[in-house]
Every structure is written in C-alpha cells, then in structure tokens.
Amino acid sequence: MCGVFAISSLDINDAGERVVDGLKKLEYRGYDSWGVATSSEMIKEVGKISASNATFIPDTKAIGHSRWATHGGVTQENSHPHRYKKVTLVHNGIFENYLSEKNRLLEKGETFLSETDSEVIAHLIQEQLDLSHDTKSAIQNVAKAITGRFSIVVMIEGLDEIFVARRGSPLIIGRGKDEYVNTTFIASDIPAFLEYTNIVNYIDDEEMAIIKNSDVNFYNLCSGEKIEKRNIEVSWKEEVADKGKYNHFMIKEIFDQKQSLTSAVNHTDEEIAEFISALQSGNGVYMVACGTAHKASIAAEYYFSQIAGRKINVVPASEMPAFERFINKETVLFAVSQSGETADILEILDLGKKRGAKILSITNVESSSIARISDNHLPIRAGKEKAVASTKATTSQMALLLLLAYADDNRLNEGRLLLQDLASNVNDLLNPRYEEYIKSVAETLNDCSNIFIIGRNSLFPMALESAIKIMEVSYIHAQGFAAGEMKHGPIALIEKGTPCIVLGCDSETISNAMELKSRGATIIGVAHVNNVLFDQWLKIPSAGTAISIASVLPIQILSYYLATLRGLDPDMPRNLAKSVTVK
Ligand code: F6R
C-alpha cells in the first residue's frame, strides 16, 4: 500500500504542487499521512492529502508519498519522505530485516527520527555513498541487504537524477509527451499521471531506473546491466472521480451495479473458451484471493462444484504458503483481485511462476501486476472502484466466476441467460424507494453493537462477506456463519433483540433462523419471498444459482447507511486502504 509519486522535469517548475495533485489520485492506497520533498523543501503532514493546498518554492523535481502505516504510528515523523544526510526517499513495501540493520547502525552512533523501516533504507544508502559515491551501485548493494517487497524513489542532494528500484511493490514510469515531453513521471499506479501521459514503462521486479527529465535508463537491480524497455500505450482514459448526484462513492458504486454486472460477463465466447481451456489444463486448481475477493472466491467454489462438478481449492492468499508443496507445473493458480496489486497474492503467483504453475486471474485493472504476471487474464470491467469497501467489483467478480463455472460445463449460453436476467432484475431493484426502505432498516440497527449473519450453500460466503462490509464501514462488530453452524456454539451469544440477518429462505435455513428467533433474535430476512419469521424483509429478485450475487446488494446498502447514520465516512474507513501492497 502507500502511494508513491515523483516528477523529474526540465521545464515544469511547480513539481511539488503537481506531486501533491497526483498523490490525491493515489489516496486509495493509504490516507493516514503524506509528504512531499523537492530539492530544497520537505512538507510532511498527518491526515488526508485531499485536504491539502500546499505550495512549494519553484522546482523541477519532487518526490511524494501517501502513507498507510506499517512500522510506527501515524505521526509526522513517521510519514515519508525520509531524509538522512544527502539521501531523501519514499518507500512502499516492507523491509523485513530492518531491525538488525537499524541496530547495527545505532551501534555505529547513527540516530533515527522515526520508527519506520523506510528511514533505515535512507541510512543504508548513505552508508554506501560514503564508501563509493556511486548512487547506482549504492542502491544495488542496499537492495541485496534488504529482504521483503519494496519500491523506492530516491533523491540525492546535489544530483539532478531520481533513482528508483522495485522488488514486488508496483512502480510505473510515465513518459511525458506533447507539452510534457521533457518530463518523466514515476508512480505506484497510473492514475497519478494519466492527465499528462498514457505512455508507460513498467518497472518489473529486480529492476531499477535512473531518471533525469525525459532521459530514463533501466537496469537489472542485481547485475547492474542495462535493460531496454518498450514504451507501452495504455488505453485508459482518465476516469474523472465523480460522485455525480451521490454523497459518497460507495453508494454511487452500489448503484453502478445497474450496469456493471452486464460488462462483467461481456467477453467473447472465444475469450471464455481460452480461459476455460487453461483452467482445465492443470491437475488441481487453487484459487487465491484476500478479503472480500476471497469471499467471492468461496462462492465460486460452490458454483464450480454444483454447476461443473469441479473441486476448486480456495485459500486466502496469505495462508497459501502452508500449502505451497502442492504448487508445481501441474497446478493452476487462479487469482481473484479487484486491484490486481495485492501483495499476498503476488507473492504466491511469483512462487507459482518459478515452479511452472499456470497463472490465471480476473482483476478490475488490466495493467495491474497480477494481470501482467498471468498466463490468462480476464478483466471484470466494473469501472473504477474508488470507495475502499468493494461493492460493484465484488458482484462483477462473482458474475464472471459464475459464468466461468457454466462454461466449464459447456453451458456458457445458459450462464449468459441467467446473468442477463439477473442484470435486468438488479437494474429494476436498485431504485430510490428500495434505498429508502433499507435506510429505515439501518435506523433500527444503529445502536446495536453486534450483528450476526447466516447463510447456507453459496450464501454462506455471502454471510462472511456481509460481515466484512458491515464491519469495515460502520465499525459495528458483525460475524457471518454457515446457517447450520450457529447451534454448534455461537448461538450462545443470542439474546433478546440480537439482530440476525438471514440470507435465504430455504426450509433448512428457515429452521436455523427459527432456532435464533426462539432465543430472542430479531430476524432480518434477505430473500425473494417474505416469511412469517422475518421481523424485517429485504427483498431480492429470484435469481436461481445467482442468488449469492443478488443477496449481497441490500447488505451493501445497509452497510452504507449504518456508516453514514453514525456520521462515518464510508469511502475512507479508518485503518484501511484500497490497495493492499504489503504482506
Ligand atoms: C473489502 C475489500 C477488501 C479487498 C481485499 C483484496 O471491502 O475491498 O477486503 O477485497 O483487500 O483486495 P483486492 O481485491 O484488490 O485484491
């Protein structure tokens, strides 16, 4: 996580202000503090950069950072850039062995201003510079000493160049054109510079670059050998972050699902067939994902089992190392990710690549690291998702995964028809009256401190997903369970008035709901028909095997209102970031 942005130019002399503007577009990567350094100044602040109007002494060069804290609290000292003597740097990632290096430097008498791992890198580079004065080899030597994933952007006092290096965490070079032909942009993500250029060079793992104005040279980080890079034109248009008539991106993106479900499955038969043939080529499929995407993947486990008779092993990417002995050239690793930059997933894909596994992915960002490392990739085309809590990307992932399950069973057209039907029903469902009704349900829950959610079959992962959604934006404790599991322990927590959301109305789930109701629970039912048991009913369309997708929609709206009724900002919940590029 953390957003990194830098500019090196011959003729732009407001580089500092432009770096602030670019960082505002990367705020989804982390928003607890920020900082920008030019050749002569450094500004560091706690809080969101979106509120900043910082100005700088004119300069053609600047580096900046928007932080999601890993090492050390949210303080001005811990925010980036970090400076030690001649070295100023910003860092995204984690320097895993920083403590031993820091202790060594402390013993040498060096002092540190922050608690971060990043500041230690500045000291290490300075130590190397004291030995050789050659910044390129200084950075190479420091990279050898560091374990973990990182990208760094470095300025050295007295030098015009900006030095960058990457191992794991994303870093992209934007090559200026037209009026910006003498300018180069460096960012952890393309939106930072898309207003200036769509010509990019991707810095891959174990690579570095030295940038001076429009002059950019790439090198292998280990050997130092020069590398030639192709200029790539990205087809992105700058998507203007526009909430339209909505108060927050989250509710706008919930309503975007009126269209996004259709785009998610709008791939040609050939594209789907090619992907399915890759899926079928291996001997064992592991689906790796995190958070909400992981819950969408568990739903897919049900789809593939019940529709195509295929067992998919779904593992949270961070837990996959425990199963790494099963990754070999016969394995299909299937990544599901909105951002395409999630570090836990990339780590496993890197390992899979080394072992010759086939890498498949679906992401919302076609230029992302996960998409680029994949042998086969399908975009979910949800459109930019700005709110931290995933809504439209989640249902787009599920829609595409459901379609793939049908395709795996040679029933692609049946899947398409089902999803077309769902898309049109969702289009009808999402209207202001529905939203108002759910808001009124949220009002009844506003004072509660626990919410339980149950579901069976593909609604079980949706119970887990509903809990994530409620917790992350409203800070109310919520927990999802397989409907049949409550009686094996958690039912002890039910007392008079405990809110329980029941996903589905099949007879077994209703029996489980009855067990909760008998102990005093207030039941909020999510189903296509009402039931006498429901104290409140959130109606969804009848959606057949796509019921999991339909069921999550009212919970997204409910979560949104649980947050806003408590005066919280659902777009940027505390402690979170949209793109999680640290392990
Ligand atoms: C929650 C949420 C997160 C992400 C998770 C993975 O609403 O969005 O749980 O799903 O951080 O991110 P991606 O999908 O970008 O790999």
Side-chain angles (χ1 to χ4, degrees):
M1 24 246 291
C2 303
V4 166
F5 186 40
I7 292 179
S8 170
S9 178
L10 191 63
D11 39 28
I12 284 180
N13 66 4
D14 55 352
E17 286 83 350
R18 287 178 195 260
V19 165
V20 168
D21 282 347
L23 285 174
K24 287 180 182 174
K25 295 180 184 145
L26 296 185
E27 210 173 16
Y28 57 87
R29 302 183 68 92
Y31 41 80
D32 55 39
S33 54
W34 63 275
V36 172
T38 61
S39 316
S40 58
E41 266 181 296
M42 184 151 77
I43 297 180
K44 308 211 292 184
E45 303 274 355
V46 169
K48 294 178 183 151
I49 194 169
S50 45
S52 163
N53 292 315
T55 55
F56 295 81
I57 298 165
D59 206 315
T60 53
K61 188 170 71 166
I63 67 176
H65 187 271
S66 177
R67 181 171 186 244
W68 184 85
T70 57
H71 295 63
V74 180
T75 63
Q76 195 192 26
E77 292 75 24
N78 289 336
S79 64
H80 299 220
H82 292 285
R83 176 168 288 160
Y84 182 61
K85 295 187 176 171
K86 287 182 181 298
V87 180
T88 305
L89 67 70
V90 294
H91 167 225
N92 174 21
I94 291 190
F95 172 10
E96 287 169 0
N97 54 329
Y98 85 105
L99 212 49
S100 57
E101 289 297 321
K102 184 171 181 174
N103 287 336
R104 181 180 65 76
L105 295 167
L106 283 168
E107 273 170 30
K108 272 176 72 182
E110 294 186 13
T111 53
F112 291 83
L113 302 174
S114 77
E115 302 155 274
T116 64
D117 52 343
S118 315
E119 190 186 5
V120 181
I121 304 178
H123 282 243
L124 291 176
I125 295 174
Q126 182 62 55
E127 186 181 42
Q128 289 294 318
L129 285 178
D130 291 343
L131 296 173
S132 79
H133 297 290
D134 172 12
T135 311
K136 179 171 163 247
S137 48
I139 290 177
Q140 284 179 262
N141 288 339
V142 171
K144 281 180 196 135
I146 293 179
T147 58
R149 305 173 76 83
F150 63 83
S151 60
I152 50 171
V153 178
V154 185
M155 288 196 303
I156 306 292
E157 192 186 309
L159 296 186
D160 290 335
E161 291 86 353
I162 290 181
F163 301 80
V164 307
R166 168 182 171 160
R167 175 181 298 148
S169 304
L171 209 51
I172 304 161
I173 304 286
R175 310 298 294 256
K177 59 180 190 179
D178 305 329
E179 62 181 299
Y180 300 106
V181 71
N182 295 321
T183 305
T184 298
F185 307 90
I186 302 136
S188 42
D189 215 345
I190 292 173
F193 57 68
L194 207 52
E195 66 179 293
Y196 305 111
T197 183
N198 63 340
I199 310 290
V200 306
N201 303 127
Y202 291 102
I203 301 195
D204 290 315
D205 279 350
E206 303 299 336
E207 290 181 355
M208 66 178 293
I210 303 178
I211 300 129
K212 185 176 165 188
N213 318 323
S214 56
D215 190 23
V216 186
N217 290 296
F218 298 93
Y219 304 92
N220 180 291
L221 186 56
C222 179
S223 68
E225 272 169 43
K226 202 157 180 210
I227 302 170
E228 292 308 321
K229 288 251 170 205
R230 239 170 10 101
N231 282 354
I232 296 173
E233 190 172 333
V234 291
S235 56
W236 290 24
K237 291 205 174 42
E238 198 189 357
E239 277 192 65
V240 185
D242 183 8
K243 288 185 265 206
K245 60 180 180 176
Y246 299 96
N247 289 333
H248 296 97
F249 282 105
M250 183 177 176
I251 190 73
K252 175 198 172 275
E253 287 159 8
I254 291 171
F255 274 79
D256 281 352
Q257 291 169 112
K258 285 160 91 72
Q259 303 91 34
S260 56
L261 284 171
T262 307
S263 325
V265 292
N266 201 8
H267 302 81
T268 64
D269 288 6
E270 291 69 34
E271 286 166 333
I272 299 282
E274 203 180 308
F275 196 89
I276 288 298
S277 131
L279 181 83
Q280 293 170 343
S281 68
N283 184 11
V285 181
Y286 281 86
M287 197 173 269
V288 284
C290 302
T292 283
H294 171 246
K295 309 306 171 276
S297 302
I298 306 178
E301 189 179 4
Y302 284 86
Y303 305 155
F304 275 93
S305 166
Q306 291 168 352
I307 296 165
R310 177 182 300 279
K311 173 68 181 137
I312 302 252
N313 304 287
V314 180
V315 184
S318 57
E319 289 299 319
M320 193 60 202
F323 304 97
E324 61 128 295
R325 62 161 61 183
F326 300 110
I327 303 178
N328 55 48
K329 59 181 178 350
E330 300 281 298
T331 316
V332 174
L333 281 178
F334 187 160
V336 177
S337 172
Q338 188 283 129
S339 64
E341 298 295 350
T342 302
D344 289 321
I345 302 177
L346 276 164
E347 175 129 324
I348 288 303
L349 299 190
D350 284 344
L351 179 71
K353 201 89 192 161
K354 283 193 196 111
R355 295 197 184 164
K358 192 166 265 308
I359 313 287
L360 269 56
S361 65
I362 63 170
T363 74
N364 199 24
V365 184
E366 290 188 57
S367 60
S368 62
S369 304
I370 290 177
R372 286 186 301 114
I373 200 182
S374 300
D375 298 304
N376 294 77
H377 169 261
L378 287 175
I380 59 165
R381 299 188 182 128
K384 193 165 182 57
E385 194 176 65
K386 280 263 305 172
V388 163
S390 182
T391 53
K392 62 177 178 175
T394 311
T395 51
S396 290
Q397 285 164 350
M398 290 199 289
L400 181 53
L401 290 166
L402 182 58
L403 188 72
L404 290 171
Y406 275 98
D408 192 21
D409 197 47
N410 283 321
R411 291 190 281 151
L412 179 58
N413 278 343
E414 189 182 333
R416 283 203 194 283
L417 289 176
L418 174 88
L419 286 157
Q420 270 162 20
D421 236 28
L422 174 77
S424 115
N425 287 334
V426 166
N427 194 32
D428 294 343
L429 180 78
L430 293 176
N431 61 54
R433 232 170 353 109
Y434 190 61
E435 186 186 354
E436 263 315 299
Y437 173 67
I438 297 178
K439 183 178 175 194
S440 71
V441 175
E443 275 158 4
T444 68
L445 296 174
N446 208 19
D447 293 330
C448 72
S449 42
N450 292 298
I451 299 178
F452 296 98
I453 309 108
I454 62 167
R456 179 177 297 275
N457 204 312
S458 67
L459 293 177
F460 161 48
M462 292 306 97
L464 303 179
E465 164 53 13
S466 301
I468 295 189
K469 213 83 310 158
I470 293 170
M471 282 190 283
E472 70 180 325
V473 297
S474 74
Y475 315 153
I476 297 173
H477 172 250
Q479 216 167 341
F481 292 96
E485 280 292 299
M486 285 299 280
K487 59 182 176 289
H488 295 290
I491 202 165
L493 292 168
I494 305 298
E495 49 192 18
K496 191 168 169 17
T498 305
C500 292
I501 300 177
V502 174
L503 306 179
C505 58
D506 61 279
S507 57
E508 284 169 313
T509 303
I510 291 296
S511 300
N512 298 135
M514 182 77 88
E515 290 153 11
L516 304 178
K517 181 121 181 164
S518 308
R519 284 153 181 91
T522 300
I523 306 290
I524 301 156
V526 177
H528 67 286
V529 288
N530 204 345
N531 189 288
V532 284
L533 213 62
F534 297 164
D535 296 293
Q536 299 179 92
W537 174 40
L538 305 183
K539 187 177 178 190
I540 56 162
S542 153
T545 47
I547 187 173
S548 45
I549 304 174
S551 297
V552 87
L553 298 166
I555 306 298
Q556 294 173 346
I557 301 175
L558 186 73
S559 307
Y560 171 78
Y561 279 107
L562 286 173
T564 50
L565 288 168
R566 294 176 153 222
L568 302 171
D569 175 1
D571 288 347
M572 287 193 188
R574 70 183 177 204
N575 304 340
L576 294 176
K578 183 76 181 157
S579 196
V580 186
T581 59
V582 294
K583 281 204 299 166

